[in-house]
Amino acid sequence: MSTTGQVIRCKAAVAWEAGKPLVMEEVEVAPPQKHEVRIKILFTSLCHTDVYFWEAKGQTPLFPRIFGHEAGGIVESIGEGVTDLQPGDHVLPIFTGECGDCPHCHSEESNMCDLLRINTDRVGMIHDGVSRFSINGKPIHHFLGTSTFSEYTVVHSGQVAKINPEAPLDKVCIVSCGLSTGLGATLNVAKPKKGQSVAVFGLGAVGLAACEGARMSGASRIIGVDLNPKRFEEAKKFGVTEFVNPREHDKPVQQVIAEMTNGGVDRSVECTGSVQAMIQAFECVHDGWGVAVLVGVPSKDDAFKTHPMNFLNERTLKGTFFGNYKPKTDIPGVVEMYMNKELEIEKFITHTVPFSEINKAFDYMLKGESIRCIITMGA
């Protein structure tokens, strides 16, 4: 392309300070360096993680910053040493990566790359620590190595999944974070058998994706657990058959679920980040064969407390990161599930806004009105 090797000036939504509306700015995006690619972002969506770090409650406030990490786009140019991607490839940038060389990448059991594992405090590129974004010479911080709230972004090639060019980017962009996290937690880690029962704690986007995985697995009962009763109606679209609101019971919710299911569910998936919900999710699975999977990220001072007999009675507790998907190896296959009509994506998308109105996406999220809001970059 004519822009190869050149600085590109484009629009980006910049967060200048915590909790304040993003400001549309003209930014300069430097060419990709060693093992990097520059991507033209066509569609991005808002994930709760973006909101969490934009609010900067309990984290290091790093501003000015370009947020965004769920997106789809086209490779504009590649840096030195990139051999598996070419200009014109349709891609999803991912907040974690796969270097292909470390012990985790060589392991069939792990997707937690040593080099490219998520790092929320990293504000530049791994190669040299320098930001590829600037305004009038002043650096603008990166976010999760992706920064997709910009018409062009630079990403390490190990964080880029090449996908089927026929896949609609305005739909499959959400595969790059929340959908895969919940879906993989069920399909890859909990692994319910056909006809088994599954409880899912938390019916946000990740929890609904976990329900979708249970539906795809042929679960006979999918019990949604959430403090918001309004979420049940929406959750039915994702296969949820029953709803439990812990506030409506005068006994522990794990006991309620055990009584509903003759001793406990076969599998549970926790998607809230509440350590109390994590304990409930573990204690509500059936002894002998029950498996509980933790997805939500707890607060740094939380402690998980349960009686050791719950383990000795042959319950299994597992954790997962990004649904145990390796970004480059596995995410193209998740896109193919959608292309083969095995996975339904449209029902996750509740709103669409033009890039110029990106702050509306934050409003929808903060009011609890959206599952996923697609932001159209060219509009």
Side-chain angles (χ1 to χ4, degrees):
M1 295 190 183
S2 60
T3 49
T4 299
Q6 308 294 313
V7 170
I8 289 178
R9 287 177 174 79
C10 68
K11 289 182 193 168
V14 177
W16 287 99
E17 52 185 307
K20 295 293 175 68
L22 306 188
V23 180
M24 204 61 67
E25 305 278 10
E26 182 178 83
V27 299
E28 296 180 341
V29 185
Q33 302 301 304
K34 191 175 182 180
H35 300 308
E36 296 171 1
V37 298
R38 189 162 57 185
I39 302 168
K40 181 178 184 179
I41 300 295
L42 298 181
F43 300 95
T44 186
S45 64
L46 180 65
C47 169
H48 191 265
T49 302
D50 296 305
V51 177
Y52 187 66
F53 283 89
W54 166 72
E55 291 180 323
K57 295 174 182 173
Q59 308 90 38
T60 313
L62 298 167
F63 297 95
R65 204 169 201 184
I66 297 174
F67 287 102
H69 65 282
E70 275 191 2
I74 296 175
V75 174
E76 173 269 338
S77 59
I78 62 174
E80 178 192 342
V82 177
T83 57
D84 61 331
L85 295 162
Q86 295 295 329
D89 286 344
H90 286 223
V91 295
L92 304 181
I94 313 281
F95 67 90
T96 182
E98 184 181 352
C99 72
D101 296 323
C102 72
H104 283 279
C105 286
H106 285 302
S107 168
E108 292 181 2
E109 299 177 41
S110 176
N111 66 337
M112 300 185 71
C113 176
D114 287 337
L115 178 67
L116 299 170
R117 192 178 303 190
I118 185 172
N119 181 346
T120 57
D121 289 336
R122 191 170 68 234
V123 296
M125 298 301 292
I126 283 178
H127 173 57
D128 55 11
V130 175
S131 174
R132 303 290 176 255
F133 298 109
S134 61
I135 296 178
N136 299 324
K138 181 184 177 183
I140 306 295
H141 297 326
H142 289 248
F143 180 63
L144 302 183
T146 52
S147 293
T148 61
F149 294 165
S150 174
E151 291 177 322
Y152 285 86
T153 189
V154 176
V155 182
H156 190 286
S157 63
Q159 289 182 239
V160 180
K162 180 181 174 180
I163 63 164
N164 184 342
E166 299 296 317
L169 289 171
D170 60 333
K171 307 291 192 299
V172 299
C173 62
I174 69 168
V175 168
S176 58
C177 179
L179 187 146
S180 295
T181 297
L183 187 74
T186 304
L187 295 182
N188 299 336
V189 189
K191 297 180 180 177
K193 299 180 178 69
K194 187 173 183 180
Q196 288 192 321
S197 56
V198 180
V200 176
F201 287 70
L203 298 177
V206 174
L208 292 174
C211 295
E212 181 75 357
R215 182 193 69 78
M216 291 168 65
S217 299
S220 60
R221 297 175 74 179
I222 303 174
I223 301 169
V225 184
D226 201 287
L227 299 174
N228 182 353
K230 294 178 182 174
R231 287 185 162 173
F232 182 38
E233 205 54 44
E234 192 75 43
K236 289 178 183 176
K237 299 177 189 174
F238 301 83
V240 173
T241 55
E242 296 148 89
F243 181 77
V244 175
N245 183 345
R247 288 184 178 141
E248 294 176 356
H249 299 274
D250 55 7
K251 61 181 78 168
V253 72
Q254 54 268 55
Q255 190 178 330
V256 173
I257 292 172
E259 290 170 2
M260 288 170 64
T261 55
N262 193 27
V265 288
D266 301 301
R267 303 286 186 264
S268 72
V269 185
E270 178 282 324
C271 304
T272 70
S274 157
V275 73
Q276 195 60 40
M278 295 177 184
I279 295 165
Q280 294 164 349
F282 175 54
E283 294 182 353
C284 82
V285 298
H286 206 290
D287 59 9
W289 61 80
V291 177
V293 179
L294 306 186
V295 179
V297 179
S299 297
K300 65 180 188 327
D301 297 326
D302 282 338
F304 185 99
K305 185 178 180 183
T306 191
H307 197 282
M309 281 305 300
N310 287 319
F311 293 98
L312 298 176
N313 286 335
E314 299 177 6
R315 293 177 179 87
T316 300
L317 180 65
K318 293 184 172 185
T320 179
F321 170 70
F322 193 48
N324 275 43
Y325 285 120
K326 291 181 187 283
K328 294 178 79 72
T329 302
D330 299 330
I331 292 305
V334 179
V335 171
E336 290 309 306
M337 282 187 203
Y338 168 71
M339 297 299 283
N340 295 332
K341 296 185 166 50
E342 299 161 33
L343 169 65
E344 298 171 17
I345 287 182
E346 282 84 356
K347 60 193 177 186
F348 287 89
I349 299 168
T350 51
H351 297 79
T352 303
V353 297
F355 188 35
S356 59
E357 297 177 17
I358 189 171
N359 287 303
K360 279 188 179 177
F362 282 76
D363 292 339
Y364 294 139
M365 177 77 76
L366 291 167
K367 291 175 183 172
E369 294 175 0
S370 67
I371 301 174
R372 277 296 180 265
C373 178
I374 303 297
I375 298 150
T376 304
M377 301 303 282

